[in-house]
Amino acid sequence: MNRFFVTNCAIVVAGALVGCGENVFPDAFDTSLTRVDGIRNNANLTGQEKRDQLAQLGLDEVTINGLMRSDRTANQFGGTANTAFDKVVAGYLDSLTPDEVQLYGDLTSEASFTDAQAQELVDLFKTNGILTAEQLGTWLDENDIDSRNNLDEGDVRTVFVTTDPNDLIESLP
């Protein structure tokens, strides 16, 4: 029994030292830090284009958020000024991503929301079932924003309630 154990251990150790001989793994994740950095640092790409290319490498949304953490409007599930505009006009405030909240605020030139403030707004829309500018206006008339991130109620009202989206069309990329 002891000789059998020693022989099996020797085989396992020898196999571990030699390895399987494979140097190329065809089903391996086809991403390298060089490729990722090439995308992240490409000044010719928008934030959303960078996110799209990282997704094509097989990276998931949360990983992309981490990789794009230094890009203010591409580090929280992405979007564009156009997708933000479309959602606001269609009455889908509760489907905005935090990046789209920031992009829409920037588009209005009325407020520049931080990542934390944008996430707080997304949570506010979703938690309270706020879909439209009118619903948000009513909610703001009846409630105070109890913000842990210094979210200014006046900025929220100006960006999403009083600003006419039609005035922003010419500013869209």
Side-chain angles (χ1 to χ4, degrees), residues 20-81:
C20 65
E22 186 72 42
N23 291 323
V24 177
F25 299 92
D27 294 329
F29 193 57
D30 188 29
T31 301
S32 69
L33 189 53
T34 303
R35 288 179 73 186
V36 169
D37 279 345
I39 293 168
R40 287 177 43 200
N41 298 320
N42 188 334
N44 295 320
L45 297 175
T46 66
Q48 186 58 46
E49 290 169 335
K50 291 175 185 180
R51 290 185 67 84
D52 292 342
Q53 287 192 17
L54 290 169
Q56 289 174 359
L57 293 178
L59 300 170
D60 64 80
E61 291 287 318
V62 175
T63 301
I64 294 170
N65 286 345
L67 290 170
M68 297 299 297
R69 70 186 172 275
S70 63
D71 191 326
R72 178 178 159 267
T73 59
N75 63 357
Q76 293 176 293
F77 301 101
T80 65

Side-chain angles (χ1 to χ4, degrees), residues 93-94 96-98 101 115-130 139 148-149 151:
L93 293 180
D94 67 334
L96 288 167
T97 68
V101 167
D115 285 348
Q117 290 171 332
Q119 182 61 59
E120 193 170 346
L121 271 173
V122 166
D123 294 342
L124 178 97
F125 298 153
K126 288 182 180 181
T127 301
N128 296 289
I130 297 171
W139 190 91
R148 59 192 177 279
N149 299 299
L151 188 58

